[in-house]
């Protein structure tokens, strides 16, 4: 029997994997090496993607764990060139102000190896923008307000799943955080319980796509065993 009721709630039997230690080492190593090849990309091709792929990516993201399983997120998929243009113009206005007046000299210096500036052409070039909104609270059908929990952590994990799914599909993405990004609420007409969390252009990389030659920290710098 693979279903039961515990304390009045339904349970299903967890499907265990049965890898041997050898298989586990191989799988974990291969996945690590695969994820090592993921890069943030800023130069996109205009080439389009089947909407079905985007739906699968979002389904994967929504399989992330979340506080009290509230799944406190909305993935807003923007394909319309007019809306993408509005987002680009609003993002560039904020980013110009940030780069010229709001960010510290140290911050500007830290970004130099990445070659970023306030110009954001990728917001129009990438075939899809996935705008992730976090939902701090919900209203039920009686209009009663209910809090969500660990909303930032939950959305962060879901975005991690999304980025892994994008890479697995052979596509590329950019985790873009125009700041402030409340203009997205207005342009995308989202309700008051949703706040913009991350803007993720998704697509194919440009024909010739260069990325900064970044090195990742060795395990000895990021991991301690107690
Ligand atoms: N949001 C700006 C600046 C920026 C900040 C960090 I921290 C980055 O890692 C990259 C960019 C922008 O998108 O250009």
């Amino acid at each position: 029997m693979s279903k039961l009721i515990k304390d009045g709630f339904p349970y299903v039997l967890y499907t265990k994997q049965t890898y041997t230690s050898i298989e586990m080492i191989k799988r974990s190593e291969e996945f690590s090496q695969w994820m090592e090849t993921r890069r943030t990309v800023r130069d996109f091709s205009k080439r389009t993607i089947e909407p079905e792929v985007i739906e699968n990516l979002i389904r994967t993201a929504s399989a992330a764990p979340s506080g009290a399983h509230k799944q406190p997120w909305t993935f807003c998929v923007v394909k319309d060139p007019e809306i993408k243009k509005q987002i680009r113009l609003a993002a560039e206005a904020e980013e110009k102000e940030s780069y010229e007046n709001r960010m510290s000299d140290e911050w500007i210096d830290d970004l130099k190896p990445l070659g970023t500036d306030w110009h954001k052409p990728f917001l129009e070039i990438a075939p899809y923008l996935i705008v992730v909104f976090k939902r701090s609270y919900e209203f039920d059908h009686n209009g009663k307000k209910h809090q969500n929990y660990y909303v930032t952590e939950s959305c962060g994990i879901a975005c991690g799943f999304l980025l892994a799914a994008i890479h697995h599909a052979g596509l590329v993405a950019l985790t873009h955080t125009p700041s402030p990004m409340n203009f997205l609420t207005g342009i995308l007409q989202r309700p008051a319980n949703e706040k913009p969390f991350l803007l993720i252009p998704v697509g194919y990389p440009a024909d010739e796509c260069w990325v900064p030659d970044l090195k990742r920290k060795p395990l000895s710098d990021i991991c301690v065993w107690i």
Side-chain angles (χ1 to χ4, degrees), residues 61-85:
S62 200
S66 62
H69 189 52
K70 296 289 183 183
Q71 300 183 261
W73 43 62
T74 300
F75 297 88
C76 192
V77 183
V78 184
K79 177 171 175 275
D80 184 325
E82 258 317 301
I83 306 286
K84 288 200 292 180
K85 185 179 194 153

Side-chain angles (χ1 to χ4, degrees), residues 64-72 147-151 154:
S66 62
H69 189 52
K70 296 289 183 183
Q71 300 183 261
Q147 231 29 72
N148 287 330
Y149 314 97
Y150 298 102
V151 168
S154 303

Side-chain angles (χ1 to χ4, degrees), residues 44-54 79 84 125-128 171 202-204:
F44 288 84
S45 150
K46 277 186 173 312
R47 187 172 164 193
T48 116
I49 304 164
E50 287 298 325
E52 189 183 344
V53 174
I54 301 293
K79 177 171 175 275
K84 288 200 292 180
I125 297 169
Y128 293 98
L171 296 168
V202 183
Y204 287 88

Side-chain angles (χ1 to χ4, degrees), residues 42 95 99 103 107 111 114 116-117 120 176-177:
R42 292 186 166 77
E95 291 293 275
Y99 275 87
M103 290 153 73
W107 193 350
L111 291 180
L114 306 184
T116 61
D117 62 26
K120 305 297 175 192
H176 180 42
T177 50

Side-chain angles (χ1 to χ4, degrees), residues 4-11:
L4 69 86
I5 303 291
K6 225 161 117 174
D7 298 330
F9 293 95
Y11 282 67

Side-chain angles (χ1 to χ4, degrees), residues 91-106:
E92 286 185 334
E94 291 294 0
E95 291 293 275
K96 188 166 191 297
E97 184 57 23
S98 291
Y99 275 87
E100 291 177 357
N101 298 310
R102 292 194 284 235
M103 290 153 73
S104 66
D105 291 345
E106 184 181 8

Side-chain angles (χ1 to χ4, degrees), residues 110-160:
D110 278 341
L111 291 180
K112 281 186 179 150
L114 306 184
T116 61
D117 62 26
W118 63 264
H119 297 92
K120 305 297 175 192
F122 50 75
L123 292 173
E124 286 192 87
I125 297 169
Y128 293 98
L129 308 178
I130 302 181
V131 187
V132 185
F133 286 84
K134 61 177 189 181
R135 299 160 66 135
S136 321
Y137 57 91
E138 315 274 349
F139 290 104
D140 66 20
H141 48 273
N142 297 317
K144 186 171 183 289
K145 189 173 170 180
H146 297 274
Q147 231 29 72
N148 287 330
Y149 314 97
Y150 298 102
V151 168
T152 303
E153 292 83 348
S154 303
C155 288
I157 298 168
C159 287

